[in-house]
Amino acid sequence: MPKIVNHDERMKQIAEAMWRVILDKGMEGATVRNIAEEAGLSLGALRHYFKNQDDLLVYAMTLVRERATERIEAVAQQNMLPKDMIMAVILEIVPINEESLAEMEVWFAFMAHVKHRKHELDVPDDGIFVGAHKLIAYLNASGLLKEGLDLDMEAERLYAIIDGIAMHALFDSERLQPERVKKTLRYHINSICVD
Amino acid sequence: MPKIVNHDERMKQIAEAMWRVILDKGMEGATVRNIAEEAGLSLGALRHYFKNQDDLLVYAMTLVRERATERIEAVAQQNMLPKDMIMAVILEIVPINEESLAEMEVWFAFMAHVKHRKHELDVPDDGIFVGAHKLIAYLNASGLLKEGLDLDMEAERLYAIIDGIAMHALFDSERLQPERVKKTLRYHINSICVD
DNA sequence: AATTTAACAATACAACTGTGCTAAATAAAA
DNA sequence: TTTTATTTAGCACAGTTGTATTGTTAAATT
């Protein structure tokens, strides 16, 4: 087969081009033409890889999720102190740098766009809910949690805080800068952990 | 037939029609034609009240914010126990019924849509940040806050929890139902208050 | 009574949309 | 080299978009 780049690689390049377009022009600017141009391809070429726009949309979303999951798992496999690991994992979700800020914006744009079409599109879940539960369970297993806490409630609360801060960091990045994000997260973790 | 309703009333009707369209079809379905049809008006009529789409967008956003603010202020003026009032105020923001769920969805759609156009559009702030600070300050003034809390951090955390839960209630309303929303919020408030 | 203005409706239009189709170019296999 | 499959480009198409223009009617003002 003609393999300057392989098929999957091209699909990823197109998906990444879509991210860039969304970052630059928002979801309303994410037309097949704009994406093709950003990817340096013709309309026909793009259509060769994705038979319609929804296919590309779902693929691009799934790829965002995969990339984030990979980063988190890489962090989780490092050998760190439990409280440090929790922080490190959360900081892979919450946008604190250019890359994760872009990722978050793309994900948000996707979610808002896809909200009223969940039934017709196979939209991936972000997995943060189960992640929050795992983090709380891990803290508990490490014996770091304070006495008398409700684990289920703590997971729900952590889940809300993660996405809340992520959202604020995205929409009000000037006010909620990386240092303040970290400070707030550390404050919360300390509030539920023994010293 | 002019003057059946006055000018401002018509503008509100059109904005409300826009909300309904967004709820039904999402932001991508919020075209001037769909909005006009939903409002029972012609394109020309709509254009008589809003000279372009951005004007309508900003007006509709502002109206969402105003309505919510009014509801919250009405609650705040009731004579309640501080902790109950805090809960009541937050429950006016977080979507727990059809109306506030719709409001939140519209607001979210707006935010996602105007994200990359903030500079050219005069989009209103939701005011929840200052609201969260006020709530914490009120709890503190009432002597209900636990010792040794960082007020600024508590406000930031409450702000994140409110918007995080709001977001989850919106996108995962099946799992995060009203009772669980209330339970989580009560859990958090109790965790920062003396018994 | 005459004039102006507010409140619409109808239509036109250029730009842009996703998608389908055809044909050419390219590379691999024979 | 020939054959075959993959990749790419270009364009047509029908539909939708926001907006501009023009026309009509009735109320308000003079």
Side-chain angles (χ1 to χ4, degrees):
Chain A
M1 325 161 179
K3 278 231 186 85
I4 300 144
V5 288
N6 76 40
H7 197 92
D8 285 359
E9 203 54 44
R10 260 276 188 279
M11 290 177 75
K12 288 182 185 175
Q13 285 173 6
I14 295 172
E16 284 162 11
M18 184 176 193
W19 300 348
R20 270 176 269 129
V21 172
I22 291 174
L23 274 178
D24 191 36
K25 304 190 220 289
M27 206 62 191
E28 69 177 69
T31 67
V32 284
R33 280 171 179 82
N34 285 345
I35 295 166
E37 189 189 16
E38 174 69 35
L41 296 172
S42 72
L43 257 182
L46 196 152
R47 266 185 79 58
H48 176 72
Y49 293 96
F50 298 96
K51 74 174 196 293
N52 60 40
Q53 204 179 25
D54 285 345
D55 268 28
L56 171 53
L57 180 69
V58 170
Y59 179 85
M61 278 193 80
T62 309
L63 196 59
V64 170
R65 209 225 116 116
E66 271 177 18
R67 293 271 169 95
T69 306
E70 278 168 19
R71 287 207 320 272
I72 289 166
E73 277 172 4
V75 168
Q77 275 173 351
Q78 286 178 243
N79 205 3
M80 304 170 83
L81 289 175
K83 274 168 77 169
D84 293 338
M85 208 212 69
I86 302 289
M87 268 295 282
V89 165
I90 296 176
L91 289 178
E92 289 297 332
I93 301 168
V94 165
I96 49 157
N97 57 44
E98 279 294 315
E99 190 198 346
S100 54
L101 207 81
E103 197 174 86
M104 196 72 200
E105 176 162 357
V106 169
W107 188 263
F108 258 80
F110 279 149
M111 290 301 284
H113 179 80
V114 132
K115 169 76 172 70
H116 63 110
R117 306 184 57 199
K118 276 215 178 73
H119 51 291
E120 40 180 328
L121 252 50
D122 196 16
V123 182
D125 179 75
D126 61 15
I128 301 178
F129 175 65
V130 296
H133 273 269
K134 279 187 192 168
L135 290 180
I136 294 296
Y138 177 61
L139 276 181
N140 189 44
S142 306
L144 287 170
L145 278 189
K146 281 184 181 167
E147 292 281 309
L149 294 182
D150 181 329
L151 293 190
D152 180 49
M153 280 291 99
E154 287 302 337
E156 191 75 59
R157 176 159 74 153
L158 179 60
Y159 182 33
I161 290 175
I162 290 173
D163 273 347
I165 287 186
M167 192 177 153
H168 296 157
L170 176 62
F171 284 104
D172 197 6
S173 56
E174 210 163 312
R175 190 187 67 77
L176 200 60
Q177 295 191 352
E179 270 317 306
R180 188 162 172 90
V181 168
K182 291 180 192 169
K183 187 184 172 192
T184 309
L185 290 171
R186 208 173 287 119
Y187 180 82
H188 178 67
I189 293 172
N190 284 332
S191 80
I192 61 173
C193 286
V194 293
D195 305 307
Chain B
M1 356 149 180
K3 264 313 163 15
I4 297 148
V5 289
N6 74 41
H7 196 94
D8 284 359
E9 204 54 43
R10 259 278 187 278
M11 289 176 76
K12 287 182 188 177
Q13 285 173 6
I14 295 172
E16 284 162 10
M18 183 177 192
W19 300 349
R20 270 176 268 128
V21 172
I22 291 174
L23 277 178
D24 190 37
K25 304 189 218 289
M27 206 61 191
E28 70 177 59
T31 66
V32 285
R33 267 167 254 263
N34 285 345
I35 295 166
E37 189 190 17
E38 175 69 34
L41 296 171
S42 71
L43 260 182
L46 197 153
R47 226 180 122 45
H48 176 72
Y49 292 97
F50 298 97
K51 73 174 197 291
N52 59 39
Q53 204 179 26
D54 284 345
D55 267 28
L56 170 54
L57 180 70
V58 170
Y59 180 85
M61 281 192 78
T62 308
L63 197 59
V64 171
R65 206 225 118 115
E66 271 177 19
R67 294 272 168 94
T69 306
E70 278 168 19
R71 285 208 319 273
I72 289 166
E73 277 172 3
V75 169
Q77 275 172 350
Q78 285 179 243
N79 206 3
M80 304 170 82
L81 290 174
K83 274 169 77 170
D84 292 339
M85 208 212 70
I86 302 289
M87 268 294 284
V89 165
I90 296 176
L91 288 179
E92 289 295 331
I93 302 169
V94 165
I96 48 155
N97 56 44
E98 280 294 317
E99 189 197 347
S100 54
L101 205 83
E103 197 174 271
M104 192 72 199
E105 177 163 355
V106 169
W107 188 261
F108 199 87
F110 280 149
M111 289 303 282
H113 185 253
V114 301
K115 169 74 171 70
H116 62 109
R117 306 183 57 200
K118 277 217 178 72
H119 52 290
E120 42 180 326
L121 252 50
D122 197 17
V123 298
D125 178 74
D126 61 17
I128 301 178
F129 175 65
V130 296
H133 272 270
K134 280 186 191 167
L135 290 180
I136 294 296
Y138 177 61
L139 277 181
N140 190 43
S142 306
L144 287 170
L145 278 189
K146 281 184 182 167
E147 291 282 309
L149 294 182
D150 181 329
L151 293 189
D152 180 50
M153 280 289 99
E154 288 302 337
E156 191 77 58
R157 177 159 72 153
L158 180 61
Y159 181 33
I161 289 174
I162 290 174
D163 274 347
I165 287 186
M167 192 180 150
H168 295 158
L170 176 61
F171 283 103
D172 196 6
S173 56
E174 210 163 311
R175 188 187 67 78
L176 200 60
Q177 295 192 352
E179 271 317 307
R180 190 165 171 88
V181 168
K182 291 179 192 170
K183 187 183 172 194
T184 308
L185 290 172
R186 209 172 287 120
Y187 180 83
H188 177 67
I189 294 172
N190 283 332
S191 81
I192 62 172
C193 287
V194 293
D195 304 306

